[in-house]
Amino acid sequence: MSKLSQRHLLGIKNLTRQDLELIFETADNFKDVINRPIKKVPSLRDVTIANVFFENSTRTRLSFELAEKRLSADVVNFSTSTSSVKKGETLLDTVNNILAMKVDMVVMRHASVGAPHFLAKHIKANIINAGDGTHEHPTQALLDSFSIREKLGAVEGKKIAIIGDILHSRVALSNIFALKKLGAEVMACGPPTLLPKYIASLGVIVEWDVKKALAWCDVANVLRIQLERQQIKYFPSLREYSLYYGINKKILDDLKKEIVLMHPGPINRGVELTSDAADSHHSIILDQVENGVAIRMAVLYLLAGANSPK
Ligand code: CP
C-alpha cells in the first residue's frame, strides 16, 4: 500500500503533491463505495476515533463521523458545550483523558491556531486538524480540489479565484497551499482590509474587483464573512459588502462562459451569495459536501495505514 509522507494531517503546507494525489485516488475508490447499496467496509475495524470539537461545526463533524462509520471504526464524540472544559480542564488533560480510554486517532477542531500541532507533539495518536482558528482546514481544501478535479477533469492549469474574507479564513490558506501544489493559478479577491499583507508572497494574484476576478477564473470559491473572528470593523456594513462583493445569478450568467461556483459553507445567504446563485446550475456546493465524506474516508484510511509496518 502507498503511504502518506506524514502520520498526522495538521495542514496542507507539509504535504507533497504525491500525498494529495494519493488521497484523491483513494477517495475515488471510497466514492464508489459510498454510492453502493452497502456503503460500509471493514477497513478501520478495531480502530477507535475521537471527534473532539472545541468550535461549532455541521459539515466537518458530520462528515468525519459518517466517514468513520462507513469504515467500521468505533467513534466517540466530544464537544466543549457538554464537557468538563467548562470546569476549566486544559486541552492536554482533556485529550490525555480521552486517550486513556485507548483512542487511536483524534479529529480536532479548535479556535486557537496551532492547537492540533501542540497535541501532535504530546500524544501518540494520529491527529487530524478539522480547522484551527484562522490557520488551516486541510480536509476542506482536499475536498475542494477533489471537487474541481471531478468537475473539470484536473486542477493543473485551472484558474481559481478565492473570493471574500481571506484574512480570517483557514479555508483560504489551505486551498492556496493545495491548489499551488497541484499546479493551478490562484487569485485572492476581496476588499483590501480582508486581504492579509503577506498574501502575494504565497504566489497568488491579488485582485480587489470581484467582477474582474469572475471574468478571469474557471472556478470561484466564495468564502463566508467571518463576523465571529472580526474584532474591528473591516467594512462599513454587510449591506455595503453585499453590494460590492455579493455574487448573484445574473452576474454569473452575464459572464457568458462556464464558471464553477463553490462555497465551503455555511453560506450567509444574501451576503456573499444570493440564493439564486448558490442554488444555480453553476454551483457544486452540495457536491463538495458529498465529496467530503470520501475525502475524509481516504485521509482516515491512509493515516491508519501510516501506523502499520512498511
Ligand atoms: N466547511 C466547514 O468547515 O463547515 P462547518 O463549520 O459546518 O464544519
Side-chain angles (χ1 to χ4, degrees):
M1 182 181 117
S2 301
K3 289 193 173 187
L4 293 176
S5 65
Q6 314 280 317
R7 65 176 297 272
H8 305 289
L9 179 63
L10 301 178
I12 300 291
K13 190 175 181 184
N14 294 326
L15 295 183
T16 63
R17 181 168 178 159
Q18 287 70 29
D19 287 329
L20 301 182
E21 282 165 0
L22 174 60
I23 293 168
F24 295 162
E25 283 157 21
T26 311
D28 285 334
N29 293 328
F30 283 128
K31 191 152 180 192
D32 289 342
V33 169
I34 59 181
N35 283 304
R36 292 199 307 229
I38 296 171
K39 298 175 170 55
K40 216 163 167 167
V41 287
S43 312
L44 295 192
R45 203 161 51 199
D46 297 329
V47 174
T48 304
I49 304 175
N51 300 313
V52 180
F53 278 67
F54 291 87
E55 244 194 8
N56 293 345
S57 169
T58 299
R59 277 145 293 271
T60 311
R61 185 174 169 156
L62 285 178
S63 177
F64 265 113
E65 189 172 345
L66 204 53
E68 291 152 4
K69 288 180 171 167
R70 298 274 190 250
L71 291 167
S72 306
D74 294 318
V75 181
V76 287
N77 290 305
F78 164 97
S79 67
T80 26
S81 56
T82 53
S83 75
S84 290
V85 169
K86 290 271 175 213
K87 301 175 197 162
E89 193 165 36
T90 66
L91 171 62
L92 192 55
D93 278 342
T94 301
V95 175
N96 271 328
N97 276 273
I98 294 169
L99 291 181
M101 299 174 211
K102 309 288 181 224
V103 165
D104 304 297
M105 303 176 97
V106 177
V107 176
M108 188 174 76
R109 171 168 287 191
H110 202 284
S112 299
V113 169
H117 305 70
F118 169 79
L119 271 198
K121 282 196 186 120
H122 289 88
I123 63 176
K124 283 203 189 111
N126 306 95
I127 308 293
I128 300 176
N129 180 1
D132 63 324
T134 56
H135 183 218
E136 281 226 42
H137 190 350
T139 55
Q140 181 68 46
L142 289 167
L143 74 89
D144 288 345
S145 286
F146 183 79
S147 301
I148 295 168
R149 169 183 174 269
E150 181 180 73
K151 181 72 182 174
L152 300 179
V155 177
E156 174 119 41
K158 300 294 182 290
K159 294 178 174 174
I160 320 295
I162 303 171
I163 299 171
D165 183 359
I166 314 280
L167 184 67
H168 300 98
S169 175
R170 53 195 175 209
V171 175
L173 193 58
S174 287
N175 258 274
I176 290 168
F177 290 141
L179 293 166
K180 296 290 293 178
K181 282 177 202 280
L182 293 165
E185 287 184 68
V186 185
M187 176 183 279
C189 173
T193 51
L194 291 178
L195 291 167
K197 288 198 172 65
Y198 63 78
I199 199 77
S201 71
L202 299 177
V204 306
I205 304 162
V206 179
E207 176 60 68
W208 296 351
D209 183 332
V210 73
K211 291 206 172 139
K212 285 188 187 161
L214 292 171
W216 173 84
C217 69
D218 302 306
V219 177
N221 193 353
V222 182
L223 304 179
R224 180 173 69 89
I225 290 291
Q226 302 204 24
L227 288 174
E228 75 278 17
R229 296 193 205 281
Q230 298 184 11
Q231 307 307 330
I232 60 167
K233 271 194 170 290
Y234 290 89
F235 48 86
S237 67
L238 282 178
R239 193 165 175 275
E240 186 158 324
Y241 181 84
S242 166
L243 199 62
Y244 287 98
Y245 287 93
I247 296 172
N248 59 41
K249 185 164 181 291
K250 182 172 184 317
I251 293 174
L252 298 176
D253 289 344
D254 285 351
L255 294 168
K256 305 270 183 263
K257 65 167 186 178
E258 288 298 316
I259 185 164
V260 178
L261 181 69
M262 302 174 68
H263 192 298
I267 303 170
N268 287 318
R269 286 180 183 254
V271 180
E272 66 267 6
L273 283 182
T274 58
S275 285
D276 66 357
D279 304 331
S280 70
H281 69 280
H282 302 286
S283 167
I284 61 162
I285 293 169
L286 290 178
D287 300 315
Q288 291 172 259
V289 178
E290 181 182 340
N291 287 334
V293 178
I295 280 289
R296 290 177 175 116
M297 287 173 82
V299 166
L300 293 161
Y301 173 78
L302 289 166
L303 288 179
N307 291 337
S308 62
K310 289 198 181 205

